[in-house]
């Protein structure tokens, strides 16, 4: 169509532009290839001109504005052609059109990657291979479509007519965009439609772009065409193929920094799956790394990424949707006789409703009399609408007596508090006592909740909370080798009965140890004592530890400063528990349904690696507050402890994931204890914890069409009900690798890869862990490339599936995450381990935000109306180039807020927000943000609040850093800018280039 | 002293509440809990006569009372005064009926009234020591008579059910066996017939055939 269009309808395009057209024609030299499209004659005419001075010609081209290019004799002619010749000129463009086609089609495709004028990126790098050009034809189609967008605004038209003027200015601007990262295009002439920039490319060769304004198709085509040549073309192809097969995306290595894909919208839940499988549970509960199951072992081996799932059994629904609860009464919970699968929406009924077929193992089961219901003509039960278990992927069953080993125990909380001198000095005791006291009313499980305290330094202090006492009694046990309980009862008491005693204890706790100068900490014996107190009931044990355990069993030694171990084969031993005591203790705890949460506050090394294993095997959590100081960290501790105590928790739970024939879950990653090969024991679990697992095929060839998965979590709710939460999901079996890529879920893959990497770091060097990650990425992209390399000419570009477009960046981010980055000096051992423990439990969206934090520019939105602020906060790429020295930026990784003050930031702004002036060089590390009485500060605090509300599981500690303030800026901010090059790590562009090189080799 | 306390619905044996730290420091607690559950099951089948009963098991006694379709059961040492044990159950019953009386029939899930355990806990403590003034007074109080309460052995009680079960199982097995026997007998009979007459029939058949052939050919 196009060519004819162009030619025949010279008038429209030509009108003003015709002049340009010629200019455009200039480019033709390259077009020569395009020849077919172009009209030979004209192109010929112009071509020579070009040929002669293409680059110089540029000016000439602009030439339409004669003023510019004298040489342009060509220029004038073009005008002539205008009416007449216009067509021809376009002809040449015909080839150009392709480029337009690009535009039309390309933008969308690029959309994902680039925020900016995507088209530019491709151009920037003068496509090495012009050859692809030939592909041109496709453009035609698009072409037709494109015209509209291209048409220049009237003004532009005007310009062209005044040949001299208008055109010129644009060129310069254009030129820049190509090279510049962020500077670019936007500034372009107002007259230029936004799309223009794309053409720029040519700039270097062809400044003339001004023609662009001319807005004829021809012109534009011209621009794009000549210089861009190959790339454009290939792009066209790719994008098209992208559009068609939804598969490959493409990148021009090294050039288009701005266009690289960035997950600025955060995690994307694969919600569209719900449309294909409406009976599945929501993806927030269960996500497969690729939502299809490969049919053969060979397919699995070609899928180099992990095959598995991320399960978040108690995820909170954003809209507060309740999970339906079902009580089967006397029929008992309906399960398959053989594989014990729970009845679910995918089960089918047969024999007029008397039997049901298990969808996992295909066994035909009897339907109990109480549950019987007739079937309609299509084999559906008539009562399907009244039975959520047959229509919903997520349900809860009330568990009958057979599911209870003992009656439901009350939620119990036992606090193990280190009261040695460092805890007293840092003000920890006040904060803890105050927070616990404020939470007493909200502890779940009223009126059965049990509570108890044990404090320790070099001795153990038990506290008697007998309800008839008015003051708690303290009993000191100094025998650490043979710990015993001084009282049989009343160490763990009912909160309602003993409320007043507990409160008076909490009031006096800070003063009780006010003068304590004891520096020892007998954590091991204290854990044993706590175990003796709790072993009957189970519950949650919260350990507040502020020094390295130094006495009794389980004492640890300083080993984090052993620099020599780094980089050797022994490096990883620093990250694993040194003393088997902790793992044994954890096993005992789990057996007795006790979950351990570790709160660590030491300013020095406190061996989180060892302490954390208590949490790791009991379904607990590790909180790390390095160098805790009550004034700065108090709020964070307060809110996180509050969350820990008051969130809805499932007790005494076990979780099992069943899956259909042919597949099997092999490895599990997260905080739990494996009780048998596939039963996860979780003394306590809550909405802040997710689990990941890997899948393997048992058979070499899958015979079924669909594989079903069922996650069942049996737990006791805080109110004492025993329940089974069941999530069911189905995934199709495929024989095609590209389908696997197409359905891949980046979030789940990153989550699983991150956990595997953290686990590997416990048995391997960090360096090799990072290499393994990179290797996986490279292999998978290589495999993908092999899929398409034959059909498409994808010369020098890295291709990857649309679904995995963020994967390279995320993997880079994992490598640079707190847990895995650098070496000895980059992160303290404790912080590294604590981050590792966090990464093992974080749900997908929080993990992604943790490794690729959100960066916002705040100063611009502060002056807006408060209710518009939220919408105008935009995430920025994590690179230093995004930081403007006159800006105020906020970095949020889910654990910390970092406020970065640019050097040129107006002092009043700083003054308003921080309440002090930077001129005095205040110590920003101690600063605390308080809302002060001005609009800026109110808005700023509001932003912080809304961001915190998005994720209540952690409270982000706010830290302020000034540009150029070393070394704080370095480790607080710069190390989080994962796209930048840091010591020994590559920048995003280099990374992509590296990956690209390796995929090609 | 009281070792175990359980409350269950008699109609279906559904447990309603249980003392919380029962079985602490007691190795065989699980065994006795199991026994208690069996007892409930038996009761739900209707194998009970008295609404108050003591059952001896090992070194302990189960005491239970059944009132308003709810069975309150406790396990005590042999030496623990029966009178106090029943007083304890009586206390539980009064409180339980007062608090949950109207929901007992509708309770659908096990341990629906587990919140009652705090009361059990408290009451239990009152009865721990038999020599407190309060308990002594109760012991001396003649108003509450426990002499008539029957004492039986746990094996007996559980055995009754077991034996009945066995009998019914045996009889049902017998019926199915006889059916199989009848079927087989018929089968055998037929086979015997065949065996007896088949040779004769064959011979006759052959002879007849020969005759027929002969007629045909000639």
């Amino acid at each position: 169509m196009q060519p004819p269009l162009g030619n025949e309808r010279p008038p429209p395009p030509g009108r003003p532009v015709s002049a340009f057209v010629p200019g455009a024609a200039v480019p033709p030299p390259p077009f020569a290839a395009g020849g077919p499209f172009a009209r030979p004659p004209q192109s010929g005419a112009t071509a020579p001109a070009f040929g002669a001075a293409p680059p110089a010609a540029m000016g000439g081209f602009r030439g339409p504005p004669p003023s510019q290019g004298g040489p342009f004799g060509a220029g004038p002619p073009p005008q002539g052609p205008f009416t007449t010749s216009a067509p021809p000129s376009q002809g040449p463009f015909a080839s150009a059109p392709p480029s337009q086609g690009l535009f039309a089609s390309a933008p969308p495709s690029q959309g994902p990657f680039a925020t900016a004028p995507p088209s530019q990126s491709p151009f920037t790098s003068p496509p090495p291979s012009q050859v692809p050009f030939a592909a041109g034809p496709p453009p035609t189609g698009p072409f037709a479509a494109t015209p509209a967008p291209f048409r220049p605004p009237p003004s532009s038209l005007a310009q062209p007519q005044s040949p001299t003027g208008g055109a010129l200015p644009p060129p310069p601007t254009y030129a820049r965009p190509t090279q510049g990262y962020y500077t670019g295009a936007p500034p372009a002439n107002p007259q230029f439609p936004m799309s223009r920039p794309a053409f720029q490319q040519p700039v270097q060769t062809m400044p003339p772009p001004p023609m662009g304004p001319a807005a004829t198709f021809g012109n534009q085509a011209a621009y794009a065409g000549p210089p861009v040549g190959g790339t454009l073309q290939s792009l066209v192809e790719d994008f098209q193929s992208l559009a068609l097969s939804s598969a490959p995306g493409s990148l021009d290595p090294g050039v288009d920094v701005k266009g690289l894909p960035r997950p600025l919208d955060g995690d994307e839940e694969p919600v569209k799956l719900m449309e294909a499988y409406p009976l599945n549970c929501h993806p927030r509960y269960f996500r497969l790394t690729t939502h299809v199951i490969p049919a053969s072992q060979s397919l699995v081996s070609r899928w180099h990424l992990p095959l598995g799932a991320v399960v978040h059994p108690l995820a909170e629904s954003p809209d507060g949707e309740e999970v339906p609860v079902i009580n089967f009464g006397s029929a008992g919970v309906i399960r398959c006789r053989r594989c014990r699968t729970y009845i679910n929406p995918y089960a089918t009924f047969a024999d007029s409703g008397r039997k049901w077929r298990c969808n996992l193992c295909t066994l035909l089961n009897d339907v109990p009399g109480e549950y019987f219901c007739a079937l309609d003509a299509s084999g559906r039960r008539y009562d399907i609408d009244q039975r959520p278990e047959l229509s919903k992927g997520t349900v809860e069953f009330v568990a009958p007596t057979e599911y209870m080993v003992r009656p439901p125990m009350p939620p119990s909380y036992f606090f193990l508090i280190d009261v040695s001198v460092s805890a007293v000095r840092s003000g920890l005791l006040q904060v803890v006592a105050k927070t616990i006291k404020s939470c007493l009313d909200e502890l779940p499980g009223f009126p059965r909740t049990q509570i108890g305290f044990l404090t320790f330094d070099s001795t153990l202090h038990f506290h008697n909370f007998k309800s008839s006492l008015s003051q708690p009694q303290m009993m000191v046990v100094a025998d650490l080798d043979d710990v015993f309980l001084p009282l049989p009862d009343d160490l763990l008491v009912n909160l309602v009965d003993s409320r007043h005693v507990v409160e008076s204890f909490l009031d006096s706790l800070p003063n009780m140890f006010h003068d304590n100068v004891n520096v020892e900490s007998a954590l091991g014996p204290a854990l044993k004592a706590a175990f003796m107190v709790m072993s009957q009931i189970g519950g949650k044990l919260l350990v507040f530890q502020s020094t390295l355990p130094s006495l009794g069993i389980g004492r640890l030694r300083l080993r984090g400063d052993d620099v020599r171990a780094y980089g050797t084969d022994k490096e990883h031993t620093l990250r694993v528990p040194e003393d088997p005591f902790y793992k044994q203790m954890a096993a005992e705890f789990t057996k007795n349904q006790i979950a351990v949460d570790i709160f660590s506050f030491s300013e020095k090394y406190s061996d989180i690696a060892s302490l954390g294993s208590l949490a790791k095997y009991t379904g607990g959590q590790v909180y790390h507050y390095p160098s805790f100081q009550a004034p700065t960290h108090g709020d964070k501790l307060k809110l996180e402890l509050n969350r820990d105590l008051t969130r809805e928790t499932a007790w005494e739970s076990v979780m099992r994931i069943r899956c259909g024939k042919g597949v099997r879950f092999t490895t599990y990653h997260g905080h739990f204890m494996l009780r048998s090969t596939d039963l996860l024991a979780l003394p306590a679990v809550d909405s802040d914890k997710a689990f990941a697992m890997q899948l393997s095929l048992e058979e070499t060839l899958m015979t079924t069409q669909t594989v079903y998965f069922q996650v069942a979590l049996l737990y006791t709710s805080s109110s004492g009900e025993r329940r089974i939460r069941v999530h069911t999901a189905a995934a199709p079996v495929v024989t095609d690798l590209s389908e696997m890529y197409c359905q891949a879920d980046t979030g789940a893959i990153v989550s699983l890869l991150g956990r595997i990497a953290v686990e590997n770091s416990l048995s391997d060097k960090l360096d090799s862990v990072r290499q393994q990650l990179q290797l996986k990425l490279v292999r998978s992209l290589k495999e993908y490339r092999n899929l398409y390399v034959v059909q498409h000419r994808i010369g020098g570009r890295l291709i990857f599936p649309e679904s995995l477009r963020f994967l390279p960046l995320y993997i880079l981010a994992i490598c640079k995450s707190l847990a895995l980055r650098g070496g000895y000096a980059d992160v303290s051992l404790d912080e590294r381990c604590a981050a590792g423990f966090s990464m093992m439990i974080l749900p997908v969206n929080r993990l992604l935000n943790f490794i690729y934090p959100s960066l916002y520019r705040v100063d611009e939105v502060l002056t807006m109306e408060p209710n518009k602020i939220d919408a105008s906060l935009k995430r920025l790429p994590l690179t230093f180039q995004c930081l403007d020295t006159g800006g105020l930026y906020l970095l949020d990784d889910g654990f910390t807020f970092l406020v970065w003050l640019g050097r040129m930031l107006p002092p009043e702004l700083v003054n308003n927000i921080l309440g002090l002036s930077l001129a005095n060089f205040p110590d920003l590390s101690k600063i605390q943000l308080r809302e002060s009485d001005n609009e800026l500060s109110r808005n700023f605090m509001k932003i912080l609040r809304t961001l915190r509300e998005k994720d209540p599981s952690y409270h982000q500690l706010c830290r302020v850093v000034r540009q150029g303030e070393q070394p704080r800026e370095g480790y607080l901010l710069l190390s989080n800018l994962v796209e930048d090059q840091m010591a020994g790590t590559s920048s995003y562009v280099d990374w992509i280039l590296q990956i690209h090189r390796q995929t090609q080799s | 002293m009281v070792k175990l306390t359980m409350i269950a619905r008699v109609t279906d044996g559904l447990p309603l509440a249980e003392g919380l730290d029962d079985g602490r420091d007691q190795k065989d607690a699980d065994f006795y809990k199991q026994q208690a559950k069996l007892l409930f099951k038996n009761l739900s089948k209707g194998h009970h006569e008295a609404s108050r009963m003591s059952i001896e098991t090992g070194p302990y006694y189960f005491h239970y009372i059944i009132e308003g379709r709810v069975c309150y059961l406790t396990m005590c040492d042999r030496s623990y005064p029966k009178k106090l044990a029943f007083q304890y159950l009586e206390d539980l019953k009064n409180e339980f009926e007062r608090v949950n009386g109207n929901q007992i029939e509708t309770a659908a899930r096990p341990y629906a009234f587990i919140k009652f355990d705090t009361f059990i806990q408290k009451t239990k403590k009152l009865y721990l020591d038999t020599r407190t003034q309060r308990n002594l007074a109760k012991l001396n109080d003649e108003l509450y008579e426990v002499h008539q309460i029957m004492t039986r052995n746990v094996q007996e009680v559980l055995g009754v059910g077991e034996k009945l079960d066995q009998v019914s199982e045996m009889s049902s097995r017998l019926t199915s066996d006889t059916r199989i026997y009848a079927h087989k007998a018929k089968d055998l009979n037929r086979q015997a017939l065949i065996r007896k007459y088949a040779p004769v029939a064959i011979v006759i058949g052959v002879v007849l055939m020969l005759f027929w052939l002969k007629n045909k050919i000639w």
Side-chain angles (χ1 to χ4, degrees), chain A residues 853-906:
Chain A
S854 339
L855 177 68
Y856 307 99
R857 177 163 191 168
V858 180
D859 56 322
E860 287 168 343
V861 298
L862 281 182
T863 45
M864 297 174 126
E865 302 239 335
N867 48 4
K868 282 191 196 147
I869 287 182
D870 231 12
S872 41
L873 272 184
K874 294 269 182 301
R875 282 183 71 168
L876 299 172
L878 284 179
T879 158
F880 196 72
Q881 285 152 66
C882 288
L883 300 179
D884 179 12
T885 53
L888 175 71
Y889 291 84
L890 179 66
L891 182 91
D892 170 20
D893 70 359
F895 292 82
T896 315
F897 279 144
L898 186 69
V899 179
W900 186 83
L901 312 171
R903 202 172 275 135
M904 314 290 284
L905 197 63

Side-chain angles (χ1 to χ4, degrees), chain A residues 820-861:
Chain A
L820 297 173
R821 83 168 59 130
Y824 169 72
D826 295 292
V827 188
S828 80
L829 188 57
D830 276 347
E831 274 187 78
R832 193 188 291 281
C833 291
F837 284 119
S838 300
M839 282 174 73
M840 294 301 286
I841 57 167
L842 284 180
V844 174
N845 53 352
R846 289 177 205 154
L847 176 74
L848 294 186
N849 192 46
F850 176 57
I851 61 173
Y852 192 86
S854 339
L855 177 68
Y856 307 99
R857 177 163 191 168
V858 180
D859 56 322
E860 287 168 343
V861 298

Side-chain angles (χ1 to χ4, degrees), chain B residues 109-208:
Chain B
R109 59 186 176 82
Y111 298 106
F113 307 111
I114 189 70
K115 283 181 185 157
F116 192 66
D117 68 0
T118 49
F119 180 81
I120 298 180
Q121 211 73 350
K122 268 182 255 171
T123 323
K124 195 165 119 183
K125 277 185 192 143
L126 298 180
Y127 284 90
L128 267 187
D129 189 351
T130 50
R131 273 162 300 183
T132 56
Q133 202 50 49
R134 179 181 164 284
N135 287 345
L136 281 178
K138 284 199 171 164
L139 275 177
N140 294 330
D141 188 353
E142 291 296 324
L143 279 178
Y144 193 74
E145 206 40 76
V146 293
H147 293 304
Q148 302 93 317
I149 293 178
M150 217 191 317
T151 305
R152 298 172 68 179
N153 187 279
V154 74
Q155 292 311 325
E156 243 176 271
V157 179
L158 293 181
V160 171
E162 240 168 64
K163 272 174 205 151
L164 276 181
D165 284 349
Q166 274 173 13
V167 170
S168 73
E169 196 187 312
M170 274 158 78
S171 71
S172 67
R173 205 187 306 146
L174 214 61
T175 14
S176 69
D177 282 358
T178 46
R179 218 170 281 139
I180 293 169
Y181 178 77
H183 185 74
K184 285 209 169 139
K186 250 183 237 162
D187 222 41
L188 277 175
N189 210 6
R190 206 168 36 240
Q191 278 182 22
L193 261 175
I194 292 170
R195 227 171 268 168
K196 205 169 171 187
Y197 296 108
V200 185
I202 289 170
V203 170
I204 294 174
V206 170
V207 171
L208 285 178

Side-chain angles (χ1 to χ4, degrees), chain A residues 259-343:
Chain A
L260 292 175
R262 286 189 180 80
L264 298 184
D265 297 328
D267 178 38
E268 297 166 339
E269 284 186 346
V271 193
K272 59 180 191 300
L273 288 172
M274 289 295 283
E275 290 158 22
Y277 291 91
L279 300 181
N280 271 11
C281 60
H282 192 276
R284 71 175 157 265
Y285 301 118
F286 180 87
R287 285 167 78 164
L288 285 164
T289 53
T290 170
H291 207 88
V292 292
I293 299 298
S296 66
Q297 205 73 56
S298 68
L299 215 51
V300 178
S301 55
R302 288 171 64 199
W303 167 259
H304 297 278
L305 297 168
L307 188 62
V310 178
V311 175
H312 191 189
L314 294 175
E316 282 164 344
S317 158
D319 45 8
E321 189 188 335
E322 296 271 316
V323 176
V325 179
I326 296 137
N327 191 344
F328 285 115
S330 55
V333 178
I334 303 193
R335 303 175 68 177
C336 171
R337 253 184 305 135
R338 183 163 65 194
C339 64
R340 311 301 290 147
T341 299
Y342 296 85
I343 186 113

